[in-house]
Amino acid sequence: MIIYKDKTYICALDLGFEQIRSKWKAVILCHLEEGSKRFLALQRMTGAISQKVLNTSLREMEEEGLIRKKVYPETPPRVEYSLTEKGKGVVPALKIIEAWAQENYPEARGQEL
Amino acid sequence: MIIYKDKTYICALDLGFEQIRSKWKAVILCHLEEGSKRFLALQRMTGAISQKVLNTSLREMEEEGLIRKKVYPETPPRVEYSLTEKGKGVVPALKIIEAWAQENYPEARGQEL
DNA sequence: CAGCATCCCCCGGGATACTG
DNA sequence: CAGTATCCCGGGGGATGCTG
C-alpha cells in the first residue's frame, strides 16, 4: 500500500502507471523524445487531441516532473516542452508497447509516431 | 491512422496502449506473469478491484488474446487465467514502469507486486 | 467459487468560444 | 501562438445483491 498525494496505490506499478494512464500522455512523451516541441506542434502531431486536454496533460506531467516547460518572452509567445531525466525513464516502456503493437496488430505494421 | 474494431488510432502506440490503459489491466498482467491464477486469487492480490471490473478486464483481455481462460468442470467451479505469448510481450514494458516508479517515487521503494 | 445484473456517480475528454 | 473558461456527454469503475 502506497500513499502519494492523498491517493492510495496497491503497488509501485499502480502508482507509476497512473502517471501516464490518461488518453494522450504516452503519445506525447514519445513525441517529446525526438526533441523539444512547441504547443502547436504537439497538437498537430497528435491530431485528435483537444487544446484543453493537451494542456491539462502537459501541466500534470510538468507537476510530476516528467517534462519541462520553457517559456520564451516573445510576441507571439513561444513555449517549448521537453523531457526531463525522469520523463526519459519511462519512454523505453512506451517504445516496447509501440513495437509490441506493430508486431501483434497487422493494422499497425510500420506505423511509427 | 489505424482502424481497429471500428475505432481509430493515430499510431501504433495509441492502439497498443489502449489495450492496457484501463485502471487494473497492467497490474493483472503483471500478476499473471508469476503463473496462472484463479479469479479469487486475482481479486485478493489487487485488493481494491471490484468483481465487475475484474471480470470485464479479464474478458476484454481474453478477447484481445492477451490472456487465456481455462475452466475446470468441477464443483465448486475452478477457473484459471494465464498469459498468452502475446500477453507476455507487453509485460517487459510494465516491469520497466514498475522499476521506474520504485526509482522515482520514494514511497514506492521496494514495493513489489 | 466465479460469475451476472443493476444502479449510480464521477470525471476524463471533446467541442466551442474568448483572451494576452 | 498558447493558452483559459464553459458546457456537456459517455462510460469507466465502484457498491450491492443474486445465482449455478
Side-chain angles (χ1 to χ4, degrees):
Chain A
M1 189 64 71
I2 307 169
I3 298 181
Y4 179 66
K5 293 190 176 175
D6 291 344
K7 293 186 180 176
T8 62
Y9 303 92
I10 64 167
C11 60
L13 175 59
D14 187 18
L15 168 58
F17 198 67
E18 202 64 19
Q19 310 305 323
I20 56 172
R21 207 172 72 84
S22 83
K23 187 77 176 57
W24 297 107
K25 285 181 182 175
V27 175
I28 294 170
L29 288 173
C30 251
H31 274 300
L32 288 180
E33 204 227 1
E34 305 160 7
S36 61
K37 294 266 156 54
R38 306 182 60 167
F39 188 89
L40 192 60
L42 285 171
Q43 201 181 356
R44 289 219 181 93
M45 291 180 136
T46 57
I49 190 172
S50 70
Q51 285 180 340
K52 176 192 148 194
V53 174
L54 175 56
N55 239 299
T56 52
S57 300
L58 289 171
R59 200 178 321 119
E60 286 173 7
M61 290 197 292
E62 195 197 352
E63 283 172 8
E64 276 309 313
L66 299 185
I67 62 177
R68 192 184 357 254
K69 177 181 182 174
K70 181 153 192 186
V71 181
Y72 297 84
E74 308 171 358
T75 40
R78 187 167 132 233
V79 179
E80 291 198 343
Y81 295 91
S82 57
L83 290 182
T84 61
E85 286 308 308
K86 182 176 173 185
K88 287 178 186 171
V90 242
V91 175
L94 307 179
K95 291 289 183 185
I96 291 181
I97 296 175
E98 184 189 12
W100 171 80
Q102 287 167 351
E103 279 177 35
N104 291 280
Y105 296 89
E107 304 85 347
R109 279 287 154 68
Q111 288 280 358
E112 305 268 339
L113 292 173
Chain B
M1 188 64 71
I2 307 170
I3 298 181
Y4 179 67
K5 294 190 176 175
D6 290 343
K7 292 185 180 176
T8 62
Y9 303 92
I10 65 167
C11 61
L13 175 59
D14 187 18
L15 168 58
F17 198 66
E18 201 63 20
Q19 309 306 322
I20 56 173
R21 206 171 71 86
S22 83
K23 187 78 175 64
W24 299 106
K25 286 182 182 174
V27 175
I28 294 171
L29 288 173
C30 251
H31 274 300
L32 289 179
E33 203 227 2
E34 305 161 5
S36 61
K37 294 267 156 53
R38 305 182 60 168
F39 187 88
L40 193 60
L42 284 171
Q43 202 182 357
R44 290 218 180 94
M45 291 180 135
T46 57
I49 189 171
S50 70
Q51 285 179 341
K52 177 192 148 195
V53 174
L54 176 56
N55 238 299
T56 51
S57 299
L58 290 170
R59 200 180 320 121
E60 287 173 8
M61 291 197 290
E62 195 197 352
E63 284 171 7
E64 276 308 312
L66 299 185
I67 62 176
R68 195 185 352 257
K69 177 181 182 176
K70 181 153 192 185
V71 181
Y72 297 84
E74 309 171 357
T75 39
R78 186 167 133 233
V79 178
E80 291 198 345
Y81 295 90
S82 57
L83 290 182
T84 61
E85 285 309 308
K86 182 177 173 184
K88 287 177 186 171
V90 241
V91 175
L94 307 178
K95 291 290 184 186
I96 290 181
I97 296 174
E98 185 190 12
W100 172 80
Q102 287 167 350
E103 279 177 36
N104 291 279
Y105 295 89
E107 304 84 347
R109 279 288 153 68
Q111 286 281 357
E112 306 267 337
L113 293 174

